[in-house]
Amino acid sequence: MSKKILLIDGMALLFRHFYATSVHKQYMFTSKGLPTNGTQGFIRHIYTAIKQSDPTHVAVCWDMGKATFRNEIFEGYKQNRTEPPEALLPQFDHVKHISEALGFHNIGVSHYEADDVIGTIASHYKDVEDAQVVIVTGDRDLLQCASKNVEIWLIKKGFSEYVKVDEQAFKSQYALQPKQLIDIKAFMGDSADGYPGVKGIGEKTAIKLIQAYHSVEGVLENMHHLTPGQQKKIQTHLDDLKLSKRLARIEDNVPINFKNLEQYLLYEHNIMHALRICEAHELRVSHRYLRSLF
């Protein structure tokens, strides 16, 4: 296999370690008072993924501000989230700076989420015979991108454990195609993202409905086969159901220039360079971790 492309959900790694340490008040600071616990967790996560996946290309994908095209569809999208803690705010720019200094290609597209960027790159390579894509994230929504050439690694525990899901694993678990996760999410909604779904229909029922009728549209065409209670719930929340399907779908046609992208994503492993960057930026915990990892 000539290309192995590692796609990193940058915010997922940053947030995960920030909250994992801040809950115990384990903040890390540079001599200038810059908090770094999220940034240092990001570094440890990304190099662990590199060690396990041995990529030829790496991209770190980022959200580009709060507002995206989904907020135009639904004003309440992700509006239920609290503001980031003060100690996390300076790390948003800092982690991107460190990522670039380490030699990774940062990529984000205005008006879209990191998930959409990841989904678009994954879709571009899903049928390329000599390519394999590994997505590292904490977001289960990205399971809809699983395919023959695309594997999702869900962060599980610490820095080294992942739930690795490819197309076959998804089909084995749910008896569905990965893209049908969109229809499941349309029914169950997403409280974290703030979109409603159908009130009273949870994950188990949503899965059974899609297994039986394949899609939201298939369920609507077969309403007469559903229980009276299910019919009433769907009819009452029909607009929410249709809206939620639009919001649940990861966009796979983000305007990305693929002409020179592979050149930008080329990864050359240089652990001595990474150690120098960690030392220069007072990232001592990451420095110790990388020395032990490699």
Side-chain angles (χ1 to χ4, degrees), residues 30-238:
T30 67
S31 58
K32 294 182 179 179
L34 177 69
T36 63
N37 55 318
T39 299
Q40 300 212 62
F42 165 85
I43 294 170
R44 286 182 278 176
H45 271 298
I46 196 169
Y47 276 100
T48 304
I50 285 170
K51 185 174 179 66
Q52 291 193 25
S53 63
D54 192 23
T56 58
H57 299 73
V58 178
V60 185
C61 303
W62 302 98
D63 296 333
M64 299 293 287
K66 243 181 145 178
T68 71
F69 73 94
R70 291 182 180 86
N71 297 100
E72 297 175 1
I73 297 172
F74 177 50
E75 190 175 342
Y77 183 73
K78 288 192 175 180
Q79 296 305 302
N80 58 343
R81 299 189 176 188
T82 58
E83 290 298 314
E86 186 177 346
L88 179 57
L89 291 174
Q91 297 185 63
F92 290 140
D93 289 334
H94 184 241
V95 71
K96 292 178 185 177
H97 172 71
I98 296 298
S99 176
E100 184 177 353
L102 289 168
F104 304 124
H105 182 65
N106 293 324
I107 181 168
V109 179
S110 180
H111 212 50
Y112 295 94
E113 296 179 64
D115 284 3
D116 302 311
V117 175
I118 291 170
T120 297
I121 297 174
S123 179
H124 181 80
Y125 287 101
K126 67 180 181 180
D127 296 318
V128 177
E129 288 298 327
D130 66 341
Q132 183 181 356
V133 176
V134 171
I135 298 169
V136 174
T137 183
D139 190 348
R140 296 182 64 84
D141 289 352
L142 280 162
L143 292 176
Q144 66 185 262
C145 298
S147 69
K148 181 180 67 173
N149 292 351
V150 179
E151 186 172 73
I152 291 81
W153 291 11
L154 295 171
I155 302 166
K156 183 181 178 183
K157 185 180 178 183
F159 300 103
S160 58
E161 292 187 27
Y162 302 98
V163 177
K164 299 179 181 180
V165 182
D166 59 11
E167 183 178 34
Q168 191 54 50
F170 187 94
K171 289 160 69 174
S172 297
Q173 182 171 354
Y174 296 105
L176 292 168
Q177 296 290 335
K179 286 294 184 187
Q180 290 174 295
L181 177 61
I182 300 167
D183 298 272
I184 294 170
K185 297 274 293 187
F187 276 105
M188 60 184 286
D190 191 318
S191 58
D193 288 343
Y195 60 85
V198 175
K199 189 175 181 180
I201 293 183
E203 183 177 18
K204 288 183 179 178
T205 301
I207 290 172
K208 287 179 180 178
L209 288 172
I210 302 306
Q211 285 173 337
Y213 304 112
H214 312 300
S215 65
V216 166
E217 294 74 20
V219 172
L220 297 179
E221 289 172 4
N222 289 277
M223 287 278 281
H224 55 286
H225 292 306
L226 307 186
T227 67
Q230 289 172 341
Q231 290 183 41
K232 184 177 180 180
K233 289 171 186 174
I234 293 171
Q235 287 165 349
T236 302
H237 300 283
L238 184 59

